[in-house]
Amino acid sequence: MKKLLAVALFVFTAVLNSFPASTNQPPTSAEQLRSEFEAAMKAKDIDGILALFYQAGVSNKNIAWIHKSDWSKAFQEHPRSHLDGLAELKPRFEEDSYEKVANGFQMKPNLSVQGNIHATFTLGSLGPGAIESFLSADTYIPYGETNGCFYLAGTTIQKIYEPKVPEKILTVKVSAGLWSEPVAFTGTYTYVQNNKEIEKTINGTNTVLETFWGDYVKSCTVQKTDGGKNSVKLEIEVSVIKDPKEKILIPTTIFSGETTSTNDSIAYERKN
C-alpha cells in the first residue's frame, strides 16, 4: 500500500519552497512536526504548511508541481474539504522511493529522510443536480531532522541529461479482485528512460501503484503468491498532460490482464 500514489511523495515535496520561512521555532520532534502539520491542514493554513518544509538548497527556479495558489483555490472552491482522520507518522521507504528522474531532472530530498507523514485529504464539490462528490488522495510526505529540528523534506532539482524525446508519465498498477480476502503478489517490470533500461521489483498485498517518467514500459511480469481465491490484475498506463495550467492528466491503458491462479503469471511485452 505504500505506493498507492508514488508521485505523491513529490506532490508536496516538489512544492516551490521559496516562500518566507516561519518566524516560529521549528519542531524539535517528529511528533511535534506531525501535530503542527495536522493542525495546519485542518485549518487550511497554506502558509503554515509551507513553513514546515526545510528550505536549504531549494532554488527559486525549481519546477513547482503544486503552487500556493493551487491549494488556496482548491480550499476556496471546496469549502467542505477536510483532512480525513489524523495525520500519522510512518516508517521510511526504500532509498529509491525518494529520488525521481523526470524529463532529465533529478529530484531528491534536501535532508536525510527518517520517515513519512501520512495524510488523506478529501476535496468535496457539488456536481450536477447538487449531488456532492469527493476526491480523496493518500499523501506520504518525507520528513527528517537537522540541527535538532524536524522538517518536511524540501526537494532539490538538478538537470542531469537532455531528453532525446519528451518523456511520458508511466504507471504500473497491480490490484486485487472482488473477493474480500487479501491477495499477495510479486513481480518485476522494466522501462526505458533516456535510452537506458531500468528494472524494478514490484510486490505487495491488494494494491500497489508505481508511477514514473520514461519513454515506455518494455516488459512486466506479475504472479500471485498467496494461493487464495482472489484474483490479481495488472494494468499499464501511459498519461499525457492535457492542460499544463490545470495539471490535467489523460491516462490511456495499454495493457490489462488478470489471473486467479498462483501457477500462472501475467506478462506484458512491448511490441516494437
Side-chain angles (χ1 to χ4, degrees), residues 19 46 50 66-76 247:
F19 299 101
I46 307 301
L50 294 174
I66 287 186
H67 298 275
K68 177 181 179 180
S69 60
D70 294 333
W71 278 100
S72 299
K73 180 180 178 181
F75 289 147
Q76 290 171 3
K247 303 177 182 67

Side-chain angles (χ1 to χ4, degrees), residues 227-271:
K229 293 181 180 179
N230 210 350
S231 62
V232 62
K233 185 176 183 179
L234 168 65
E235 296 173 284
I236 298 175
E237 294 180 345
V238 176
S239 299
V240 295
I241 300 176
K242 181 179 180 181
D243 186 341
K245 291 184 179 180
E246 297 296 329
K247 303 177 182 67
I248 298 176
L249 292 180
I250 305 299
T252 299
T253 301
I254 62 172
F255 177 80
S256 179
E258 191 168 4
T259 184
T260 58
S261 171
T262 54
N263 298 322
D264 297 330
S265 62
I266 314 170
Y268 164 78
E269 191 76 29
R270 181 177 184 265
K271 297 179 180 179

Side-chain angles (χ1 to χ4, degrees), residues 31-266:
E31 172 55 31
Q32 184 183 355
L33 176 66
R34 183 210 64 78
S35 177
E36 291 189 15
F37 170 77
E38 180 183 283
M41 287 289 283
K42 287 183 175 180
K44 303 177 184 177
D45 179 5
I46 307 301
D47 288 323
I49 296 171
L50 294 174
L52 297 173
F53 282 89
Y54 190 52
Q55 304 283 333
V58 178
S59 168
N60 291 347
K61 297 180 181 180
N62 275 356
I63 298 173
W65 289 12
I66 287 186
H67 298 275
K68 177 181 179 180
S69 60
D70 294 333
W71 278 100
S72 299
K73 180 180 178 181
F75 289 147
Q76 290 171 3
E77 292 182 352
H78 308 290
R80 295 186 64 182
S81 302
H82 57 275
L83 179 70
D84 297 345
L86 304 176
E88 301 175 292
L89 294 176
K90 296 291 187 179
R92 70 188 306 278
F93 303 150
E94 312 82 72
E95 194 62 40
D96 64 356
S97 296
Y98 299 106
E99 295 189 15
K100 300 292 179 184
V101 176
N103 269 329
F105 289 92
Q106 181 187 57
M107 293 167 282
K108 59 183 181 179
N110 62 347
L111 48 70
S112 179
V113 175
Q114 294 189 358
N116 300 285
I117 292 181
H118 170 239
T120 302
F121 202 82
T122 294
L123 293 176
S125 61
L126 291 176
I131 298 175
E132 188 160 20
S133 62
F134 293 92
L135 174 64
S136 183
D138 285 282
T139 303
Y140 290 84
I141 310 170
Y143 72 85
E145 179 267 338
T146 181
N147 297 323
C149 296
F150 285 76
Y151 302 89
L152 301 177
T155 301
T156 61
I157 300 180
Q158 179 184 7
K159 189 69 173 287
I160 59 175
Y161 64 83
E162 190 64 42
K164 296 177 175 59
V165 295
E167 295 177 355
K168 305 175 182 68
I169 301 174
L170 308 172
T171 301
V172 174
K173 179 182 179 182
V174 185
S175 58
L178 299 177
W179 292 83
S180 59
E181 62 180 334
V183 57
F185 48 83
T186 186
T188 61
Y189 64 93
T190 301
Y191 68 98
V192 174
Q193 183 184 70
N194 196 38
N195 287 338
K196 177 183 178 182
E197 291 189 7
I198 301 171
E199 183 174 311
K200 298 284 187 178
T201 60
I202 183 169
N203 56 74
T205 302
N206 290 349
T207 301
V208 171
L209 185 70
E210 300 273 359
T211 301
F212 45 91
W213 290 73
D215 302 330
Y216 56 86
V217 176
K218 181 179 180 180
S219 62
C220 182
T221 302
V222 175
Q223 188 171 22
K224 282 177 56 177
T225 59
D226 70 345
K229 293 181 180 179
N230 210 350
S231 62
V232 62
K233 185 176 183 179
L234 168 65
E235 296 173 284
I236 298 175
E237 294 180 345
V238 176
S239 299
V240 295
I241 300 176
K242 181 179 180 181
D243 186 341
K245 291 184 179 180
E246 297 296 329
K247 303 177 182 67
I248 298 176
L249 292 180
I250 305 299
T252 299
T253 301
I254 62 172
F255 177 80
S256 179
E258 191 168 4
T259 184
T260 58
S261 171
T262 54
N263 298 322
D264 297 330
S265 62
I266 314 170

